[in-house]
């Protein structure tokens, strides 16, 4: 059994810190181009693979070094450059955000694990205290035991009203 008093993350974020993080996220979101897609567009637009990105870069290089009037008149070199640059910028930002998402998921998991573990330990103590007649314990236990109602064991689901 783990030590119920062990708490690897015994801290919270200051309200100002949370506000600053949220403001920074809002600023970042506002700085991005408006490219929100519909679900249908997400299904139908091609994602670019590594091989296809390299190919697009090679086409850009060819358009820059060996200008062909027909190709350059039909396809805008600047648009291709901008799209590739924006793709790389988005990829870089997304990589950093994914790292932050993983860190937040880890913080959330650890804090939740510790909170639920401590809560179930305290609940178990309340159950013992209620069974042994400690004053006030039965009311607390009765209020909390509904969490486990219907899950078998000692806490069957309460009967349905008629």
């Amino acid at each position: 059994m783990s030590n119920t008093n062990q708490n690897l993350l015994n801290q919270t974020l200051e309200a100002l810190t949370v506000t600053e993080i949220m403001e920074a996220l809002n600023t970042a979101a506002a700085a991005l181009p408006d490219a929100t897609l519909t679900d249908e567009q997400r299904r139908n637009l091609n994602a670019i693979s590594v091989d296809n990105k390299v190919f697009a870069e090679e086409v850009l290089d060819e358009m820059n070094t060996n200008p062909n009037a027909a190709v350059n008149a039909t396809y805008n070199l600047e648009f291709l450059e901008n799209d590739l640059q924006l793709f790389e910028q988005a990829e870089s930002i997304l990589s950093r955000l994914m790292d932050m998402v993983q860190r937040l998921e880890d913080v959330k998991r650890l804090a939740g694990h510790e909170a639920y573990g401590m809560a179930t330990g305290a609940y178990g103590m309340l159950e013992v205290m209620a069974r042994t007649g400690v004053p006030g314990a039965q009311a607390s236990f009765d209020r909390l035991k509904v969490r486990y109602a219907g899950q078998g064991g000692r806490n069957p689901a309460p009967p349905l009203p008629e």
Side-chain angles (χ1 to χ4, degrees):
M1 178 178 217
S2 66
N3 180 351
T4 58
N5 289 318
Q6 179 184 23
N7 197 308
L8 299 174
L9 276 182
N10 187 25
Q11 69 184 69
T12 62
L13 297 174
E14 297 290 333
L16 179 60
T17 301
V18 173
T19 299
E20 289 171 345
I21 290 169
M22 297 305 288
E23 286 174 356
L25 291 171
N26 290 338
T27 299
L32 294 174
D34 184 17
T36 305
L37 302 176
T38 64
D39 289 340
E40 183 179 349
Q41 289 170 317
R42 286 185 189 101
R43 282 190 304 271
N44 293 326
L45 293 176
N46 294 326
I48 191 169
S49 66
V50 172
D51 290 340
N52 289 344
K53 181 177 176 279
V54 169
F55 175 74
E57 290 167 339
E58 289 173 350
V59 168
L60 177 62
D61 184 52
E62 284 299 317
M63 289 175 73
N64 274 318
T65 58
N66 300 313
N68 178 301
V71 171
N72 287 358
T74 306
Y75 296 97
N76 188 314
L77 176 69
E78 185 180 334
F79 289 178
L80 180 54
E81 288 173 328
N82 289 344
D83 286 343
L84 283 170
Q85 182 178 359
L86 182 58
F87 177 86
E88 289 172 1
Q89 291 167 334
E91 192 172 45
S92 176
I93 294 167
L94 185 59
S95 176
R96 179 67 179 115
L97 285 174
M98 294 303 288
D99 177 59
M100 289 178 63
V101 166
Q102 184 63 61
R103 288 180 62 190
L104 284 169
E105 289 287 346
D106 291 348
V107 165
K108 188 174 132 183
R109 180 175 296 269
L110 185 54
H113 172 80
E114 290 177 350
Y116 183 68
M118 196 171 299
T120 57
Y123 171 76
M125 287 187 77
L126 279 170
E127 181 179 20
V128 170
M129 292 167 64
R131 276 196 265 138
T132 58
V134 173
Q138 188 66 51
S140 293
F141 176 71
D142 288 343
R143 187 172 72 80
L144 298 172
K145 73 181 181 181
V146 297
R147 161 62 180 90
Y148 297 103
Q151 295 186 10
R154 297 180 302 229
N155 298 311
L160 295 173
E162 294 181 22

